[in-house]
Amino acid sequence: MYTPEMLKSIKKVEATRASRIGVEPRRMTADEKETLLAEFHPDHIESQFTTLTIGPNKGEKVPLELAEMLQANSRIKASDVDLSKIDYDVDVLVIGGGGAGSAAAIMANEQGANVMIVTKLRHGDANTMMAEGGIQAADKPNDSPAHHYIDAMGGGHFKNIPELLERLVTLGPDAVKWLNDLGVLFDKDEDGTMVTTHGGGTSRKRMHAAKDYTGAEIMRVLRDEVINRNIPVVDFTSAIELILDEKGRAAGAVLMNMETRELLVARAKTVIIATGGAGRMHYQGFPTSNHYGATADGLVLGYRVGAPLVYAYTLQYHPTGVAFPEQIFGALVTEKVRSIGAMLVNAEGEAFMHPLETRDVSAASIIRECKARKKGVEVPGGGYGIWLDTPMIEMLHGEGTIEKRIPGMLRMYLKYNIDMRKQPILIYPTLHYQNGGIKISADGMSGVENLYVAGEAVGGIHGENRLMGNSLLDIIVFGRIAGTSAAQKAKTVENGTLTLDHIERFAKEMQDAGIVTDKVSPKLLPVYTHGSGKEKPAF
Ligand code: MEZ
């Protein structure tokens, strides 16, 4: 399967393997990391960003592709919708059917609220499903939420919003217990103790996993719980505008049936945005590990009604996306592969960095190795990759470890005749996560009254760089917070007069700022027609 050049390079990797076992490359100093990030992390390529000229974050820097969506036309005019005809009338409307939306809906239901989930694809088509390596929680005797806090704060470059991070880490152990009690099959020792491993930037082993399909396992259980509670899920239906009331509070959403394009009105006392990430925006032309619907819709919906964003300029490029074979280009190779012993090795067989640096540092280091040091391995189609030396795992932990701990990875590569137990695999950074998003307070409410947000659409929890496993944790912690808060708030809300006046106000702001565009948003689905440019690798 590998090309002759790749096989030649593998020989060099094999030649250095034994000497690398048990010898950890040193970690970079803080100064080395700062210099590396400034030079090689995609967040620092100024030409790929622009300044917003309208809306609550006017004057702030965001990726070009996001600005295009935040400063775009609505898909509808207010006159297209008859707001007196209510199709769905609920206490709590949850937009998004992934882990955060499901956790929120379960908790709202628990509070006795009439809650409904609307999702543009199917229930569970979400980045939660794609998450592999694990969920962090400080629940071991040698660990504490304080250790977890310090790790995440350091990884996030001290930009994490303290009250959000505090909630994440202090509610972490209970979130994992909740999932375990619901039936998530976490990996456990014979005595029932949860197996935990390190991730990049962690000082304690606190990654709980279900092999290498942790997110899919969590989603399986959450989806079952939503079904068991008879919570209605309207699928293949997207939210395309929020509806406010006469006081400017969130009061529902205009929905669009994705097949018929029929417009529907959902009235709600409170609304939760849980629309997930943005990988399918393919910032800077990067491939992505994200699910098909990850197009930053929630950010657009919130922004248009005045909800401020925070840190929208920072994205996470997962260090180890598939660089080869081409059929799975950009797919996630879980960080757990490095947690259990695989090293990052260049074309010469040299281990050029510690395998568990934080993600931004690891991604930038891999990019430098390929672009500046020219020590990457060429892949067909014009890109480069770095070796992830997977045979080391079984040298360290014994035969059968890969099958046992990362069976999904093993199978993914075997389909392309690559046996990662015997040969290393080629990786390169892939667009994985939006660190920024809608700003919320500790109870999950955004800057717009009665509009709550949970999951990847939230910004600020992770600062400028999230650690592995803190996303599965945040969808549960903040999903549960948003669901509980939104349901409690709904008890105090009387439905007001519904309006879509904000559409015209926003259009006027665009006009006054001289923005002329044929773009409409939210994007809803990516476009992969030939010539869009997004099918090309990002090297
Ligand atoms: O938190 C993540 O992004 C994660 C667990 C990814 C992975 O490498 O498996």
Side-chain angles (χ1 to χ4, degrees), residues 66 69-70 75 95 120 238-242 258 273-278 281 283 291-304 434 438 457 521-526:
L66 181 61
M69 288 295 104
L70 291 175
R75 289 181 166 269
I95 304 172
K120 68 184 172 185
S238 53
I240 55 168
E241 280 296 342
L242 293 175
M258 294 292 277
I273 289 179
T275 50
M281 298 285 280
Y283 297 125
H291 86 110
Y292 187 57
T295 48
D297 300 346
L299 274 53
V300 171
L301 295 175
Y303 200 69
R304 214 174 262 151
Q434 60 183 5
I438 301 172
S521 65
K523 192 175 176 90
L524 304 181
L525 294 174

Side-chain angles (χ1 to χ4, degrees), residues 132-134 318 332 334-335 359 432 466 468-469 471:
E132 296 175 352
H318 194 293
L332 181 63
T334 175
E335 190 164 323
R359 285 189 174 164
H432 185 59
R466 178 176 64 78
M468 170 191 186
S471 172

Side-chain angles (χ1 to χ4, degrees), residues 130-135 207 212 214 316 318 320 332-336 338 359 432-433 466-472:
M130 320 286 285
E132 296 175 352
I135 174 169
M207 203 70 56
D212 58 354
T214 315
Q316 177 162 90
H318 194 293
T320 58
L332 181 63
V333 174
T334 175
E335 190 164 323
K336 193 171 173 185
R338 283 174 285 144
R359 285 189 174 164
H432 185 59
Y433 188 78
R466 178 176 64 78
L467 299 187
M468 170 191 186
N470 274 350
S471 172
L472 281 179

Side-chain angles (χ1 to χ4, degrees), residues 176-207:
V176 167
K177 181 178 180 309
W178 184 68
L179 290 172
N180 189 58
D181 291 348
L182 281 179
V184 172
L185 296 171
F186 285 111
D187 297 342
K188 292 181 182 144
D189 285 335
E190 272 158 30
D191 67 359
T193 312
M194 298 246 191
V195 175
T196 48
T197 49
H198 272 300
T202 59
S203 61
R204 296 290 185 276
K205 292 183 178 178
R206 69 172 75 92
M207 203 70 56

Side-chain angles (χ1 to χ4, degrees), residues 135-151:
I135 174 169
Q136 285 205 48
D139 58 2
K140 288 285 171 83
N142 71 339
D143 201 358
S144 70
H147 285 90
H148 192 175
Y149 185 95
I150 291 165
D151 289 349

